[in-house]
Amino acid sequence: CPVVYFATDGSQTFGETELRAKVHQKHPDEDDVWICYCFWQSAGMIRKELNQTGISTAVDAIQAGIRAGQCACDIRNPQGNCCLGNVRATVKRLILSANPSV
């Protein structure tokens, strides 16, 4: 479904083509789609860091930004709330896909 936002009365809809960036919830497996729209983290970036270092610092970096008052998930994240759950789930999925025995 290309619709991202809609009015409950059906009077307005906004599709993916009308947005500046792809929406993670619509494309969770694409490496170039932002998971975090405040601190610009994507699955591809997390995968690259995991491959290079064996760990991901994405969650820690985002938490530091939140503590510094630099988060604006309520207006930047298409789902309208904090991205940390999505980032944590992506890190976990990528770790498991790279090492199924974990």
Side-chain angles (χ1 to χ4, degrees):
C1 170
V3 174
V4 178
Y5 299 107
F6 60 91
T8 56
D9 67 1
S11 63
Q12 279 188 306
T13 61
F14 295 92
E16 290 188 89
T17 59
E18 298 171 89
L19 302 179
R20 288 184 272 186
K22 285 185 176 180
V23 176
H24 169 72
Q25 289 75 10
K26 297 270 186 187
H27 306 278
D29 297 321
E30 292 186 26
D31 277 354
D32 64 340
V33 177
W34 301 121
I35 305 166
C36 175
Y37 298 81
C38 293
F39 305 106
W40 309 113
Q41 294 286 333
S42 70
M45 294 168 69
I46 293 169
R47 184 188 321 277
K48 182 178 178 182
E49 183 181 35
L50 285 168
N51 289 340
Q52 290 177 345
T53 68
I55 63 167
S56 171
T57 59
V59 170
D60 292 338
I62 293 167
Q63 287 176 326
I66 291 169
R67 284 191 300 275
Q70 299 169 336
C71 179
C73 281
D74 56 330
I75 58 173
R76 289 187 181 154
N77 187 347
Q79 75 184 32
N81 58 21
C82 186
C83 68
L84 274 175
N86 297 331
V87 174
R88 283 187 179 109
T90 300
V91 170
K92 183 177 181 178
R93 177 178 56 82
L94 293 174
I95 289 170
L96 288 175
S97 69
N99 189 2
S101 63
V102 172

